[in-house]
């Protein structure tokens, strides 16, 4: 090949490479635009001061096409070390690790009985950060492995 033919071929290859890169950038920009509402929602939930019951998290998962009910979610959380599985006073309470991760909060309610004694009921609540964490974890588990 002559020098000019080599140069022309190199220019064609470079142009094709630039066009492919531009197409890839356009696809990425479109994906970012499509994901913007989801990101906004996730950020607002993570920053939210309101925590929800584990059963409400299961309902949220159901809305996101995750086949999970409240009892199964409690069982999964215990089996994976997020909630205490030992029966007793701490049953279904968040583990130290999950509390340190900021996934749960504990709501304490004082109950006054008819005989005058007062007991405290403790309820685990999933924090905003925990909601995003668990939804992401379950949604990623549903995605087929990238090839």
């Amino acid at each position: 090949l002559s020098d000019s033919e080599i140069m022309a071929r190199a220019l064609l290859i470079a142009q094709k490479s630039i066009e492919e890169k531009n197409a890839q950038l356009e696809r990425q920009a479109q994906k970012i635009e499509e994901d913007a509402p989801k990101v906004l929602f996730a950020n607002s939930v993570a920053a939210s001061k309101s925590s929800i019951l584990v059963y409400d998290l299961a309902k949220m998962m159901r809305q996101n096409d995750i086949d999970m009910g409240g009892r199964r979610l409690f069982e999964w959380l215990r089996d994976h070390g997020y909630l205490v599985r030992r029966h007793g006073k701490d049953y279904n309470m968040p583990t130290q690790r999950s509390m340190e991760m900021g996934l749960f909060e504990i709501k304490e309610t004082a109950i006054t009985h008819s005989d005058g004694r007062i007991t405290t009921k403790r309820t685990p609540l999933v924090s905003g950060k925990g909601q995003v964490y668990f939804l992401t974890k379950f949604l990623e588990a549903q995605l087929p492995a990238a090839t």
Side-chain angles (χ1 to χ4, degrees):
L1 295 174
S2 69
D3 289 346
S4 60
E5 290 173 328
I6 291 172
M7 183 61 88
R9 187 165 176 87
L11 287 172
L12 287 173
I13 291 171
Q15 181 180 357
K16 184 177 180 182
S17 176
I18 290 169
E19 288 171 358
E20 288 173 357
K21 190 66 170 174
N22 285 341
Q24 182 182 13
L25 289 172
E26 285 179 30
R27 286 191 301 273
Q28 287 175 344
Q30 183 179 4
K31 179 74 170 142
I32 289 171
E33 190 175 317
E34 288 173 3
D35 289 347
K38 296 175 190 172
V39 170
L40 181 63
F41 172 74
N43 288 339
S44 64
V45 168
S48 171
K49 299 292 182 213
S50 63
S51 298
I52 62 172
L53 295 169
V54 174
Y55 283 101
D56 292 332
L57 177 61
K59 291 175 189 174
M60 194 183 298
M61 289 179 165
R62 177 72 72 181
Q63 290 173 344
N64 284 283
D65 297 324
I66 299 169
D67 187 27
M68 182 66 67
R71 290 181 184 194
R72 279 185 286 154
L73 180 56
F74 265 107
E75 183 178 337
W76 186 92
L77 291 169
R78 285 189 301 267
D79 290 345
H80 290 84
Y82 295 102
L83 295 179
V84 175
R85 64 181 15 236
R86 179 185 66 251
H87 285 277
K89 183 180 173 186
D90 290 333
Y91 185 65
N92 277 344
M93 286 294 110
T95 60
Q96 185 65 38
R97 178 181 69 117
S98 61
M99 288 297 289
E100 288 171 356
M101 291 172 68
L103 304 178
F104 292 94
E105 295 175 4
I106 298 174
K107 175 182 158 190
E108 292 189 354
T109 308
I111 301 170
T112 306
H113 298 274
S114 59
D115 61 1
R117 66 187 165 91
I118 298 174
T119 58
T120 304
K121 179 182 176 191
R122 299 182 332 159
T123 306
L125 299 174
V126 184
S127 66
K129 180 179 178 182
Q131 295 168 45
V132 172
Y133 176 85
F134 290 117
L135 279 172
T136 303
K137 191 168 197 66
F138 278 88
L139 288 171
E140 286 175 351
Q142 284 186 335
L143 295 177
T147 54

